[in-house]
Amino acid sequence: MYDDTINLLKLEHIKDLIECIETRIDQNTLIIELKLYKQKETCPICHSNHISFHEYKHKKIIHSISTHSKCILRFHQRRYTCKLCKKSFSEMNPFASKHHNISHYTYLSILNHLKDTTHTFTDTAILYHVSVQSVIDIFDQSIDAKRRQLPEIICIDEVFTAKMNKYKYACVLFDFHRSKIIDVIATRRKHYLIDYFSRIPITEKSTVSIFVMDMWESYREAVKLSFPKAKIAVDSFHIIRTLNDVMRTIRIKVMNKYRLGKSGPEHDDSYYYMLKKFHYFFLKNFEDIYDGKIHIPKFKSYWHKSEIMDYLLSIDDDLKEVYRLKEAYREFNLTADYETCDDELNQLIHRFRNHRLLELRTFGKTLDKWKEEIKNSLIMYKDRRISNGPIEATNSKIKTIIKTSTGIKSFSRLRNRIMYAINKDIPIKR
């Protein structure tokens, strides 16, 4: 029974030191009265063995073995007096650090709880029956995340941090292969990034072969200057998203020609209805659209997706051309090979840049401006195509931390929280 109590209280590692232990409930708080065996002591000041017992001090230590009710260790700690130097001192306290009233077990439990990105300082404090400030202090004292070694492939992206940072966006560096955050930098501004990279040893920077980024010019300029031998790849998702925005703009422009109430010979409410209801046909991969019969209430009938697509493309020649050209680029993005893609990419750029629609010509200029980076996005690494996909998934976790970060008022604390919760392998200082 005695051993069971010690094990239940998570004190099995010091059970040989415990002389007596008693438990009681006082106002919904579990009180654990505890005393250790007397040990041979020496004065910490003069190291004399001539000491005498002075008194017992009752030290209260929060020991949250149960998250349902508060638990207090009431440690009967001996005080001694040195006969030579007359200094007083206490016996060893194996339950908590000096000048702290939170047990080592609770301390580590709090830190483990904060590894979950959805857990906040406030809910951690409530769960372990301590103050919010205590949780913040424990985190700040224990976690100081260091920058990870630069890997071969680095993903770079930004995250909105205006609430706890003097800059609007912070920059996240991510290890593509190991799926770990390398570092979180206070801003994505070009000169700041150049200064940051300049402090990294050249031997370490030489190991980086590829940077993957979105189409942010400051990233490209900073990386070209700091990593002249590294390739730059633009994430294919951002190119497709930009092209989809062009597709959406053209569709809305055509759709509004047929809006109800518009005067003129072009008015056709059925066209407006179909272009609005099936807007996703222009953006979603056709093979991913439901392959069965789709109900069209306005026509009181069921159509197959191929019939709907034929109808939509028959409405307007510009709409059909934009869709076909968009699909041509999407096919290139899915099937092109890094070694042989130059001619096909140049042809696509020519078609976009020489189109009669301004929106497509503008997109063609974007393709031309980022042509080399688009080609580099086709590089395969260990049977995986390089992309910013891994960092995009991580950014959603970072946004969760920021959204629930009521106790985070400084960027350094935010950075440590992000790296500690996402990387999981950040060491504890104390």
Side-chain angles (χ1 to χ4, degrees), residues 287-338:
E287 56 271 18
D288 295 335
I289 299 174
Y290 175 62
D291 199 39
K293 292 291 186 178
I294 300 173
H295 184 220
I296 305 179
K298 186 175 183 67
F299 297 157
K300 297 179 181 179
S301 61
Y302 289 84
W303 290 13
H304 187 264
K305 66 178 181 179
S306 58
E307 296 175 295
I308 295 173
M309 180 56 78
D310 289 342
Y311 181 89
L312 294 173
L313 296 181
S314 68
I315 294 174
D316 186 89
D317 289 338
D318 286 347
L319 194 64
K320 180 190 288 188
E321 281 189 38
V322 175
Y323 178 77
R324 298 299 187 202
L325 199 48
K326 178 189 82 76
E327 286 298 291
Y329 184 83
R330 186 176 76 87
E331 184 69 19
F332 164 81
N333 181 63
L334 291 174
T335 61
D337 180 79
Y338 173 74

Side-chain angles (χ1 to χ4, degrees), residues 178-355:
R178 294 179 179 84
S179 295
K180 298 281 187 182
I181 293 180
I182 301 165
D183 204 355
V184 183
I185 308 170
T187 178
R188 63 176 182 173
R189 293 182 181 178
K190 179 178 67 175
H191 297 297
Y192 194 102
L193 292 176
I194 292 171
D195 181 62
Y196 173 87
F197 289 135
S198 69
R199 297 194 296 270
I200 300 175
I202 294 176
T203 52
E204 185 179 351
K205 290 194 288 188
S206 64
T207 63
V208 181
S209 61
I210 301 175
F211 265 88
V212 189
M213 61 184 66
D214 58 19
M215 291 184 291
W216 181 249
E217 187 62 41
S218 294
Y219 288 160
R220 181 163 68 170
E221 292 178 5
V223 169
K224 278 187 174 181
L225 185 63
S226 306
F227 299 81
K229 294 182 180 179
K231 288 185 172 66
I232 298 174
V234 64
D235 183 42
S236 61
F237 168 79
H238 288 85
I239 298 290
I240 295 296
R241 186 173 65 182
T242 303
L243 183 54
N244 280 341
D245 289 342
V246 173
M247 182 76 253
R248 186 183 296 108
T249 300
I250 301 299
R251 178 191 61 81
I252 292 174
K253 188 181 293 186
V254 172
M255 180 183 74
N256 286 338
K257 291 197 304 185
Y258 304 106
R259 186 170 52 192
L260 183 64
K262 181 178 174 66
S263 60
E266 288 185 320
H267 166 65
D268 189 321
D269 187 43
S270 296
Y271 287 168
Y272 180 86
Y273 172 83
M274 292 293 285
L275 288 170
K276 188 173 183 67
K277 181 174 178 60
F278 296 104
H279 61 92
Y280 62 93
F281 270 57
F282 294 98
L283 306 179
K284 198 171 182 180
N285 296 340
F286 186 73
E287 56 271 18
D288 295 335
I289 299 174
Y290 175 62
D291 199 39
K293 292 291 186 178
I294 300 173
H295 184 220
I296 305 179
K298 186 175 183 67
F299 297 157
K300 297 179 181 179
S301 61
Y302 289 84
W303 290 13
H304 187 264
K305 66 178 181 179
S306 58
E307 296 175 295
I308 295 173
M309 180 56 78
D310 289 342
Y311 181 89
L312 294 173
L313 296 181
S314 68
I315 294 174
D316 186 89
D317 289 338
D318 286 347
L319 194 64
K320 180 190 288 188
E321 281 189 38
V322 175
Y323 178 77
R324 298 299 187 202
L325 199 48
K326 178 189 82 76
E327 286 298 291
Y329 184 83
R330 186 176 76 87
E331 184 69 19
F332 164 81
N333 181 63
L334 291 174
T335 61
D337 180 79
Y338 173 74
E339 302 294 339
T340 60
C341 69
D342 294 279
D343 288 343
E344 187 177 1
L345 179 57
N346 288 331
Q347 289 173 13
L348 282 169
I349 292 173
H350 179 78
R351 290 176 65 185
F352 277 105
R353 292 207 62 173
N354 291 279
H355 201 277

Side-chain angles (χ1 to χ4, degrees), residues 76-93:
H76 297 245
Q77 190 175 29
R78 296 178 180 89
R79 291 282 295 172
Y80 296 98
T81 301
C82 178
K83 294 179 180 180
L84 291 181
C85 65
K86 307 304 180 183
K87 296 294 184 180
S88 297
F89 62 94
S90 300
E91 70 175 323
M92 172 193 67
N93 177 4

